[in-house]
Structures are given as C-alpha cells and as structure tokens.
Amino acid sequence: MSAAVEQVGPGVYRRPDGLVNSYLVTDDDGLTIIDTGWPRSWSRVEQAIAAIGRSLNDLRAVVLTHGHPDHLGVAEKARQRCRVPVRAHRDEVERVRGKAKGASPFALVPGLLPHLWRPSATAFVLHATRNGFMTPTWVREVSPFDDGEELAVPGKPRAVLTPGHTEGHTAFHLPDRGVLLSGDALVTLDVLSREKGPRLLPDALTSDPAGARASLQRLEPLEADLVLPGHGEPWSGTPADAVAQARAADR
Ligand SMILES: [Zn+2]
C-alpha cells in the first residue's frame, strides 16, 4: 500500500492530504469516502482507491462532515463521474451547494487576518490557496440526512450532529468498528499554530465557537477506541478522553 493511504482500523483507511484527512471505509458492498480532501485532489483519490485494492466502480457514496472546501473537495466530481450520492446533514446542505450565507471561502478571511503574523498560519493559507480552497466546486445535488441516522452506505456510519464549526457539521460513529470520525468538531492538529493533540480548531475557523464547545458533549459518550479527526493524526483512546484533552487545551 502506498504511503498516500494508510489502514487505520478494520476496513477504515486514512488518506492524509496535506494537513487535511480524507477517509475510505469499505465493506462487502463497496466503498464510502468520508470527506474528500482538497478540491485539486482527484488523481490522489483515484490512486488511494487503487492502493487499497478497489476501483471507482466500488464507490457507493461520498459522505461529508461539513461543507468547507478542504472537506468537500472533489465530491461533485465523484457524484458526476461515479453517479453516487453526496450526503450531508440537512442543516449543511446549502453550504455544500455554495448557497449558504457564509459558504464563500472568503468569509473566513477577516477572522484569519489576526493570525497571519504566525509563519505557520501564513503557510496554511498559502497551502490552502494552492490546493483550490478559494475556488471550490460546489455540489449541485446533495442528499440530506438527519441527526442519529444510520446511513445506508458501506460502513453504515451513524450521524452525530455536532454544530458549531459549521451549522450542520456532523461526526460519524462506526460502532461495530470502534471508530469515531470526528471531522472538525475535534481535531488533533491546529492548522494555524501546528499544535498537536486533541483540541478544537481555532475560533477564527469556526462559525459558532460556543456551539463548537457545546458539541463536544455529543462526542463524549460514544463508544470507540479510535478517534479519526479532520485534521491531524489518528488518536487512540475513547472520545471521552479526547474531549477531556480538548477542553484542557482550550483553557
Ligand atoms: Zn472546516
């Protein structure tokens, strides 16, 4: 298997895509991609699918934690090429379509300005721009799901609505695999400061910081021993422990 994709759990693969993570979840029915990475990552997605011994024909769905461009990435391309649904929480649909107020990547710019004295933050902004963050391809048709729903896609992820980072941000629980995909509700890498370990993303990248803090409570009780975040390395431990560390880091 190439270094561009790594197995992290039973039938769960991580494709680290330059500071952001995309995940591939497989079962006998095929393959689900949970977040697709940067907008200019199609060839890397194809390579990763081949590297785990699958093909684009196995793709059944793209599932999104939220509609930021570094997560929705090539979802529209996958929808058109592979004729698969793109799923997002009902409250996130307009953002994924590029229609929500605040969906534009430029909406993040004012909040970022005070961070740009930090070389690591400037590097992130340049990296994001080079990878198509400012020119996302919005998804034209989105299939909504609701909080608590078990999605009928490979891996059967269960939706855990965790609003705050965005209005319909959703984490996904794979109970039978002991895995929580936490998206950007809880990460292990601050993309602006490059600090590591379980934490919230900076308020500058978050629509509703108080909501994001409150949403940690929704992750806390979930049973899992592996937390796979939208940014940063996989974290071995329970969601409750990860949340405790994120709260400690937030003080
Ligand atoms: Zn995000």
Side-chain angles (χ1 to χ4, degrees):
M1 193 177 295
S2 85
V5 61
E6 56 171 353
Q7 183 161 10
V8 289
V12 184
Y13 303 83
R14 171 188 182 227
R15 186 177 73 79
D17 189 3
L19 298 174
V20 64
N21 295 317
S22 167
Y23 294 97
L24 289 72
V25 179
T26 60
D27 70 12
D28 293 343
D29 295 332
L31 164 71
T32 301
I33 299 179
I34 300 186
D35 288 350
T36 74
W38 297 100
R40 291 178 192 160
S41 62
W42 182 255
S43 61
R44 298 196 291 273
V45 171
E46 284 186 314
Q47 284 163 18
I49 292 173
I52 66 165
R54 300 279 181 149
S55 81
L56 282 178
N57 291 330
D58 296 322
L59 185 62
R60 298 288 173 267
V62 172
V63 173
L64 299 176
T65 60
H66 66 296
H68 278 156
D70 51 332
H71 297 260
L72 72 84
V74 295
E76 174 64 8
K77 186 149 187 166
R79 188 183 74 80
Q80 291 190 15
R81 278 259 189 121
C82 307
R83 299 177 194 281
V84 294
V86 175
R87 312 290 313 268
H89 186 273
R90 194 169 294 287
D91 295 346
E92 194 73 3
V93 167
E94 289 306 286
R95 180 182 283 276
V96 173
R97 297 178 66 229
K99 307 284 186 199
K101 202 167 135 241
S104 163
F106 291 94
L108 290 168
V109 171
L112 279 170
L113 292 178
H115 290 266
L116 295 183
W117 61 270
R118 236 195 259 261
S120 58
T122 310
F124 174 71
V125 171
L126 291 174
H127 177 79
T129 306
R130 263 199 310 274
N131 283 282
F133 190 91
M134 305 314 275
T135 50
T137 303
W138 304 112
V139 180
R140 286 165 66 181
E141 279 173 40
V142 183
S143 314
F145 58 74
D146 291 303
D147 183 31
E149 195 173 322
E150 183 186 285
L151 306 188
V153 302
K156 300 194 190 69
R158 198 176 68 78
V160 184
L161 180 64
T162 40
H165 182 67
T166 59
E167 47 287 337
H169 182 284
T170 301
F172 297 101
H173 189 205
L174 306 175
D176 53 342
R177 307 193 193 197
V179 169
L180 171 66
L181 295 132
S182 58
D184 283 4
L186 185 153
V187 300
T188 60
L189 174 71
D190 177 327
V191 293
L192 297 182
S193 70
R194 304 291 161 92
E195 288 172 292
K196 292 178 179 155
R199 62 192 57 248
L200 292 160
L201 278 172
D203 290 353
L205 298 173
T206 298
S207 298
D208 169 14
R213 289 183 173 87
S215 278
L216 290 175
Q217 290 169 25
R218 302 217 67 206
L219 301 179
E220 230 171 348
L222 300 173
E223 279 186 33
D225 47 33
L226 181 66
V227 179
L228 300 174
H231 302 275
E233 295 290 319
W235 194 80
S236 291
T238 64
D241 286 342
V243 165
Q245 287 202 26
R247 289 201 180 113
D250 192 36
R251 280 190 199 113

